[in-house]
Amino acid sequence: MRFALASVLFLLSCPAAFAGAWLRERGAGFTSSTATVSQSRDLAQTTYLEFGVRDDLTLGAELGFDTAASGLQSGSASFFVRRPLVEQRRSNVWAYKLGMGVDWNGDLILPNIQAGISWGRGYRLSGIDGWMAIDTSVVWDVYKSEHLAKMDGTVGVNFTPRLTGMFQIFHSGSADADATYFAPSIVFRPLKSRPRIRLQVGAETLIGDPTSVTAKFSLWRNF
C-alpha cells in the first residue's frame, strides 16, 4: 500500500467504523471505549476490540449499552472477522466483514447476522496526509426477518503527528425509516510519551434536525 507513513500509522489506530478497509498486522491489536450523551440525557457506552490473527485476518468484537433518559436499558454485542476482498496492490484497499451478534431491549433478545464491504485509501494534499473510507454493511434480524442497511463515509486529515481531524457521515435505513448524521471530531495524542493512546472528542447531529446533538468522548489504545 503506497500511503504516506503518517497516514498509515494513524489508520492502524482507527476502529472499524472509521477505517474498516484496513487490516491489523499479525499480533497487533486495538481497543476503544466510547461514551456519548444526548441533549435529552440519553447515555451510551461502547467497547470495541480488534486483533490481527494473521496479516490477512482480523478478529473483532463490540459491546454496547444504552440507557434512555426514561431509564429503559438496551444493548448489543457482536463478533466479526475481516479479510481482504481482493489482493491489495495499489493505494485502494478493499475488505469484507462477516459477523454475528445480538441486540436486547429490556427482556427482548434478538440475534442477527452481519455482512459488509469497505473501501479506503490514503491521500496527500498540499503537504498534508489523510485518508478516505467508505464502509457499507447490512444487519439481518434472525427472528423478524428484517434488515438494517448502513453506509458510513469518513475523511481524515492529519494536521500534525499529534492532532487529526475527522469528518464523517453516517446513514442507516430500514423498511420503516432512515436517518443521516454528520459527525465532526478531533483526535489527539495527549501524552507524547504514550504514542499508543489517543483521545477523540466530537459530536453527532441528525441532518434536518440541528437541535439533536450528541456529544462523544472516546479513548483509543493500540497494542
Side-chain angles (χ1 to χ4, degrees), residues 36-42 181-184 202-217:
T36 63
V37 56
S38 70
Q39 287 181 308
S40 57
R41 298 184 181 180
D42 297 326
Y181 289 85
F182 173 61
E204 294 182 10
T205 302
L206 178 64
I207 294 179
D209 184 7
T211 62
S212 62
V213 178
T214 298
K216 175 189 293 185
F217 307 92

Side-chain angles (χ1 to χ4, degrees), residues 40-54:
S40 57
R41 298 184 181 180
D42 297 326
L43 305 176
Q45 191 277 330
T46 303
T47 300
Y48 181 90
L49 169 67
E50 279 188 349
F51 183 76
V53 179
R54 302 195 307 258

